[in-house]
C-alpha cells in the first residue's frame, strides 16, 4: 500500500514540476472545443445540440495525447525496470499510474468542462449529468489508456498507435456519457446512463490493471 | 495440441490438409451459391434481396470465429510461448479483418433496399465496426516493434482485452432495440428460418469456414517461411 501511494505521489510531483505537459493537454481540450462554434457557425440552438458530443469526444482525444508518455519516460530512464524489481505487483503499478493520470488530466478536464459548456450554450439542466458522467467516465478512460500505454512501450509511432488501440475500447463510455447529458438537457431520467457508466468503471478497476500489468511484464522482459 | 507446436509436424499436417480444404472451399461455395442464388425460394417479405443473407451471415460468423481463433492463439502464446501460436495469431488478424469488412459491406448493401439506409449507428453495426478496429489495432501493434517477439506478446495481450467485445456483438440485438433482426438461427426454441433457406446458408457457411482455414494455413506457412529466412540471413557471415 505504501509503495502504491508513493508511486502516485511521485507521479504527481513529476507532473507538478513538468507542469507544461498537463497544461498542454488542457489547452488542447480548450482549443479544439473552441474550433466547433467557429467551424459550424455560432447558432445557439445548434451548439446546445452538439455540446455533449463535442465535450466528450474532445475530452477523449485530449486524454489520448497524454498516454504515450505514461510509461515511455520510465522505460527510457530505467525506472520501469526498478518498478518491476520493487516487489510491487505490476498490476498495482499500473493502477497507481492510472490514478495519477486521472488526477493530473482526467480531473482537470472534468473541472474545465462546465466552463466550456457555457460557451456552447448547454442547457442548465444538463450540467449535473455532464459533471457526474465525466466523473464516472474519465477514470475508465484513464484505466483503458493505461492498458494501451503499457502495450506500446518501445513501439514506433507510439502516440498514434495508442489512440488507435484505445479509442475503439472507449466507445461504450462515450455512448453512455453523451446519452446522460442528452437525457439531462431533455429533462429525462439520467440515472440509468450514469449507472451504466459506473458499471463500466466497476469492471475496469479490477480488469484493466491486470491487463496493463501483463503488458508491462512483456515490456520489461 | 502441444504435438502440433512443433513446426515441422504442423507444416506436414497443414500441407496434407490444404488441398482437401481448397477443394471443399471451392465445392461448397459453388454449390452454396447455386442453391442460394438460383435454387431457393424468395422471401415473402424481402423478395429476392434475401439472397444477400447467404453471403452476409456466414461472413459475420467467420469474422467472430476469426477473432476467437486470434484470442485462443494469443492465449496459447502467452501461456506456453509456442512461436507457432504467435504466427497463428499474426496470420488470423488480417484474414478476420477481411471477413469483417465483407460482413460490413454486404450488410450495407442489404440495408439499403431493406431499411432504406446504408448504415445506422445501432448496437450491432457499431460493435462489429469496433471488431474491425480491434483487428486493425492488433495488426498495427504486432508490426510496430523492431523485435517481432515483443510485438507478438503486446498483440496477444491486446487480443485478449478485445474479447470483451465478442459477447457484446452476439447479444447486441437482444439487449438494444435495433433495425438489425434478432438471432434467428442459433436461438432457444429452434431456428425461425425455413429449411429451404437454412440449407444454402449452412452450405455457404461451410464454404466460408473452409476459405478461412485455407487462408489461415497459407498465411501461417508464409510467415513461418519468412521467419526462417530471417534467421538464416542473420546466421550468415557478412558477405
Amino acid at each position: 500500500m505504501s509503495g502504491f501511494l508513493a508511486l502516485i505521489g511521485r507521479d504527481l510531483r513529476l507532473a507538478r514540476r513538468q507542469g507544461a505537459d498537463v497544461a498542454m493537454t488542457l489547452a488542447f481540450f480548450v482549443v479544439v472545443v473552441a474550433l466547433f462554434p467557429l467551424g459550424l457557425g455560432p447558432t445557439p440552438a445548434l451548439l446546445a445540440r452538439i455540446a455533449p458530443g463535442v465535450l466528450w469526444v474532445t475530452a477523449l482525444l485530449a486524454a489520448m495525447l497524454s498516454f504515450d508518455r505514461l510509461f515511455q519516460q520510465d522505460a527510457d530512464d530505467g525506472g520501469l525496470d526498478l518498478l518491476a524489481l520493487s516487489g510491487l505487483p505490476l498490476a498495482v503499478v499500473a493502477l497507481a499510474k492510472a490514478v495519477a493520470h486521472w488526477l493530473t488530466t482526467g480531473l482537470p478536464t472534468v473541472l474545465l468542462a462546465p466552463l466550456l459548456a457555457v460557451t456552447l450554450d448547454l442547457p442548465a439542466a444538463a450540467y449535473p449529468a455532464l459533471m457526474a458522467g465525466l466523473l464516472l467516465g474519465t477514470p475508465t478512460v484513464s484505466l483503458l489508456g493505461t492498458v494501451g500505454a503499457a502495450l506500446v512501450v518501445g513501439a514506433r509511432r507510439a502516440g498514434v498507435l495508442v489512440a488507435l488501440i484505445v479509442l475503439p475500447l472507449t466507445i461504450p463510455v462515450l455512448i453512455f456519457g453523451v446519452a446522460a447529458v442528452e437525457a439531462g438537457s431533455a429533462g429525462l431520467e439520467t440515472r440509468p446512463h450514469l449507472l451504466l457508466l459506473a458499471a463500466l468503471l466497476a469492471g475496469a478497476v479490477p480488469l484493466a490493471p491486470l491487463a496493463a500489468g501483463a503488458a508491462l511484464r512483456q515490456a520489461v522482459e | 495440441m502441444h504435438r502440433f507446436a512443433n513446426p515441422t509436424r504442423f507444416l506436414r499436417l497443414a500441407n496434407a490438409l490444404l488441398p482437401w480444404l481448397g477443394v471443399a472451399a471451392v465445392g461448397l461455395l459453388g454449390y452454396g451459391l447455386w442453391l442460394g442464388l438460383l435454387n431457393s425460394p424468395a422471401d415473402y417479405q424481402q423478395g429476392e434481396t434475401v439472397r444477400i443473407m447467404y453471403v452476409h451471415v456466414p461472413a459475420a460468423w467467420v469474422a467472430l470465429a476469426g477473432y476467437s481463433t486470434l484470442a485462443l492463439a494469443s492465449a496459447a502464446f502467452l501461456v506456453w510461448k509456442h512461436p507457432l501460436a504467435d504466427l497463428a495469431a499474426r496470420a488470423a488478424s488480417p484474414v478476420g479483418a477481411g471477413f469483417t469488412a465483407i460482413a460490413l459491406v454486404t450488410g450495407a448493401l442489404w440495408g439499403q433496399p431493406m431499411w432504406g439506409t446504408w448504415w445506422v449507428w445501432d448496437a450491432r453495426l457499431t460493435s462489429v465496426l469496433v471488431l474491425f478496429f480491434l483487428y486493425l489495432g492488433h495488426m498495427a501493434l504486432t508490426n510496430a516493434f523492431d523485435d517481432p517477439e515483443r510485438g507478438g506478446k503486446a498483440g496477444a495481450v491486446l487480443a485478449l482485452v478485445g474479447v470483451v467485445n465478442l459477447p457484446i456483438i452476439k447479444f447486441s440485438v437482444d439487449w438494444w432495440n435495433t433495425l438489425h433482426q434478432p438471432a434467428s438461427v442459433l436461438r432457444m426454441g429452434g431456428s425461425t428460418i425455413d429449411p429451404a433457406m437454412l440449407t444454402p446458408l449452412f452450405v455457404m457457411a461451410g464454404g466460408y469456414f473452409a476459405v478461412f482455414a485455407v487462408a489461415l494455413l497459407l498465411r501461417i506457412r508464409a510467415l513461418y517461411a519468412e521467419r526462417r529466412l530471417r534467421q538464416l540471413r542473420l546466421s550468415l557471415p557478412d558477405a
Side-chain angles (χ1 to χ4, degrees):
Chain A
M1 194 64 203
S2 64
F4 176 71
L5 293 178
L7 187 53
I8 296 178
R10 165 185 173 269
D11 271 24
L12 292 182
R13 260 196 315 282
L14 281 175
R16 201 178 66 230
R17 288 177 190 166
Q18 310 167 343
D21 283 3
V22 175
M24 271 195 297
T25 309
L26 294 178
F28 176 84
F29 184 45
V30 175
V31 169
V32 173
V33 170
L35 289 178
F36 281 89
L38 304 174
L40 295 167
T43 322
L46 173 68
L47 292 182
R49 175 73 194 76
I50 62 165
V54 167
L55 289 170
W56 262 99
V57 170
T58 315
L60 281 181
L61 293 179
M64 291 308 132
L65 288 183
S66 50
F67 285 132
D68 58 326
R69 292 189 315 271
L70 202 54
F71 294 109
Q72 193 59 54
Q73 278 178 347
D74 287 336
D76 290 342
D77 65 13
L80 196 59
D81 293 320
L82 291 180
L83 284 174
L85 294 173
S86 68
L88 207 59
L90 282 170
V92 176
V93 170
L95 184 62
K97 285 281 186 179
V99 171
H101 177 267
W102 183 73
L103 288 173
T104 52
T105 50
L107 190 58
T109 311
V110 179
L111 297 175
L112 259 179
L115 287 178
L116 293 171
V118 172
T119 70
L120 294 177
D121 261 332
L122 189 72
Y127 280 83
L130 176 69
M131 296 292 284
L134 282 169
L135 269 178
L136 287 169
T138 47
T140 315
V141 174
S142 286
L143 285 161
L144 291 172
T146 310
V147 180
L151 285 172
V152 300
V153 171
R156 294 184 297 266
R157 305 196 52 74
V160 185
L161 193 57
V162 76
L164 179 65
I165 292 172
V166 176
L167 280 176
L169 297 172
T170 59
I171 286 176
V173 179
L174 175 67
I175 290 174
F176 297 122
V178 171
V181 187
E182 284 183 342
S185 33
L188 301 172
E189 184 70 70
T190 58
R191 218 172 109 82
H193 306 297
L194 295 178
L195 285 176
L196 280 166
L197 280 176
L200 291 176
L201 179 57
V205 165
L207 293 179
L210 284 181
L216 282 178
R217 172 66 55 207
Q218 318 297 349
V220 295
E221 246 173 25
Chain B
M1 191 182 97
H2 297 294
R3 240 177 89 77
F4 296 105
N6 176 335
T8 316
R9 204 172 281 151
F10 174 84
L11 284 181
R12 203 182 305 138
L13 180 76
N15 286 333
L17 281 177
L18 268 172
W20 297 103
L21 283 170
V23 169
V26 174
L28 285 172
L29 281 185
Y31 182 52
L33 280 176
W34 176 74
L35 273 182
L37 298 184
L38 302 171
N39 200 22
S40 68
D43 189 72
Y44 79 107
Q45 279 182 329
Q46 306 189 18
E48 301 292 340
T49 332
V50 74
R51 303 187 194 286
I52 298 175
M53 172 177 77
Y54 304 123
V55 287
H56 169 70
V57 175
W61 286 346
V62 177
L64 290 182
Y67 200 89
S68 310
T69 311
L70 171 60
L72 287 176
S74 298
F77 180 53
L78 286 180
V79 174
W80 293 295
K81 301 194 164 45
H82 292 321
L84 206 59
D86 177 31
L87 295 185
R90 281 167 196 270
S93 61
V95 182
F99 278 98
T100 314
I102 293 176
L104 287 170
V105 170
T106 53
L109 293 174
W110 198 4
Q112 169 56 10
M114 283 302 109
W115 303 340
T117 174
W118 300 102
W119 185 263
V120 285
W121 287 99
D122 76 352
R124 173 58 71 87
L125 279 70
T126 308
S127 54
V128 174
L129 189 64
V130 169
L131 179 73
F132 186 61
F133 290 152
L134 284 173
Y135 276 126
L136 293 188
H138 180 263
M139 279 149 66
L141 185 63
T142 45
N143 293 316
F145 295 90
D146 295 326
D147 173 16
E149 169 103 2
R150 168 91 181 90
K153 284 178 174 170
V157 174
L158 177 66
L160 292 179
V161 171
V163 171
V164 291
N165 192 34
L166 289 187
I168 298 181
I169 294 178
K170 170 75 182 112
F171 295 110
S172 55
V173 283
D174 305 326
W175 291 345
W176 287 282
N177 280 320
T178 150
L179 278 178
H180 197 285
Q181 64 165 333
S184 29
V185 179
L186 270 178
R187 64 188 281 279
M188 304 283 274
S191 170
T192 54
I193 300 180
D194 190 82
M197 291 180 176
L198 218 47
T199 313
L201 181 61
F202 281 138
V203 173
M204 284 299 281
Y208 268 62
F209 275 102
V211 171
F212 174 72
V214 169
L216 188 69
L217 290 177
L218 281 177
R219 277 189 55 82
I220 294 179
R221 209 167 66 173
L223 287 170
Y224 177 72
E226 194 181 294
R227 195 159 283 187
R228 284 281 295 165
L229 208 60
R230 190 182 135 95
Q231 271 172 358
L232 287 173
R233 200 172 284 152
L234 287 177
S235 66
L236 280 179
D238 285 331

